Amino acid sequence: MSNSGISPPGPDTLVHAARDGLAQLADPQRAPRMREYMKSELPFRGVPTPQRRQLARRVVADHPLPDRASWRRAVLTLWDHAAYREERSLAIDITGHRAHARWQTAEALPLYEHLVVTGAWWDFVDEIAINRLGPILRGDPGTVAPVVRRWAHGHDLWRRRAAVLSQNASGPRTDTALLAECLDATAGDPDFFLRKAVGWALRQYSRSDPAWVRNYVSEHPELAPLSRREALRHLS
């Protein structure tokens, strides 16, 4: 270790520091309520989101990762071998740290697909879809849009939700043809998480183009009442 207290770069030191940090922040009284709210199979440490995100920033700064392979290994170690649910949330936090911005490319899609499919719950999937998949899509639409289309037309519920929500932060840069295709693939599905995602995606885009959203809703009578209500929430 150097005099600065920063460990040599490598994924294992980061993972150990992350787990130790969560243990130090643990709140056993809070943990059962968090687990019940998220309906989680994994137990919680009881660490609030702001403290967890602060921990992520600290461990990344103290244990820099030298390359994409190390970044991927650190994330997958925390994720695949998580004993507590916050380890998975922390893994997502680490993926998006500004120190790792150079690895936010289409090469990261297999990693994010793995997190979506194995995470299989709304909080994980929504963060990945909007704040990881979305920026990569905007930066490289020619490569990423076909992947989003594949997810939208697939059988996996959570890939489909991710596809629908992938442009929620795109605003006026939204690819409306891609958005419409993702919505069309899911509009009539009875699943609650998909119906909610459709309505949310439309509501978000209504901030940029309310006329487009009104037109889409009027032309798709198969939309569930929940989706329709969410889509038009901010439109008079």
Side-chain angles (χ1 to χ4, degrees):
M1 182 176 294
S2 69
N3 292 335
S4 67
I6 298 177
S7 300
D12 294 337
T13 56
L14 185 150
V15 169
H16 292 153
R19 288 174 174 160
D20 288 347
L22 287 173
Q24 292 169 15
L25 294 170
D27 183 344
Q29 293 186 330
R30 182 190 298 266
R33 297 194 300 272
M34 294 173 71
R35 185 176 188 178
E36 181 180 4
Y37 173 74
M38 293 305 304
K39 300 179 173 61
S40 174
E41 294 182 3
L42 282 172
F44 273 78
R45 283 287 196 186
V47 180
T49 297
Q51 293 183 31
R52 190 199 73 231
R53 289 177 174 165
Q54 185 177 36
L55 173 63
R57 292 192 292 271
R58 186 169 71 249
V59 298
V60 170
D62 289 350
H63 308 280
L65 299 172
D67 51 42
R68 182 189 294 272
S70 297
W71 170 72
R72 186 177 186 277
R73 178 177 165 184
V75 170
L76 287 177
T77 300
L78 276 172
W79 184 273
D80 289 338
H81 303 285
Y84 295 90
R85 203 171 190 277
E86 288 98 333
E87 291 177 50
R88 288 192 156 186
S89 298
L90 190 59
I92 296 176
D93 295 337
I94 289 168
T95 65
H97 191 281
R98 63 181 181 274
H100 307 148
R102 62 193 183 279
W103 301 322
Q104 300 302 317
T105 68
E107 291 182 62
L109 292 182
L111 171 63
Y112 291 139
E113 183 172 14
H114 174 74
L115 303 188
V116 165
V117 172
T118 58
W121 202 238
W122 61 267
D123 60 326
F124 294 147
V125 172
D126 295 0
E127 176 70 12
I128 294 164
I130 298 168
N131 296 318
R132 303 295 182 271
L133 179 60
I136 298 172
L137 171 63
R138 291 190 292 275
D140 187 3
T143 302
V144 181
V147 175
V148 173
R149 288 189 173 92
R150 173 172 62 82
W151 290 14
H153 290 283
H155 297 292
D156 182 82
L157 160 66
W158 299 105
R159 283 193 192 96
R160 292 170 66 195
R161 181 175 169 106
V164 169
L165 298 178
S166 63
Q167 297 194 82
N168 262 29
S170 294
R173 297 179 61 188
T174 296
D175 177 343
T176 53
L178 177 61
L179 176 61
E181 184 171 345
C182 293
L183 294 171
D184 290 350
T186 299
D189 197 287
D191 182 86
F192 168 81
F193 290 103
L194 292 177
R195 285 183 285 137
K196 188 76 171 180
V198 166
W200 184 15
L202 285 165
R203 186 176 80 239
Q204 282 298 105
Y205 190 55
S206 74
R207 301 173 186 272
S208 298
D209 192 341
W212 190 95
V213 171
R214 287 193 187 94
N215 187 60
Y216 184 90
V217 170
S218 68
E219 291 183 354
H220 291 79
E222 74 275 18
L223 283 172
L226 171 61
S227 301
R228 186 179 300 273
R229 185 168 61 250
E230 288 294 311
L232 301 176
R233 175 174 294 185
H234 300 309
L235 301 178
S236 57

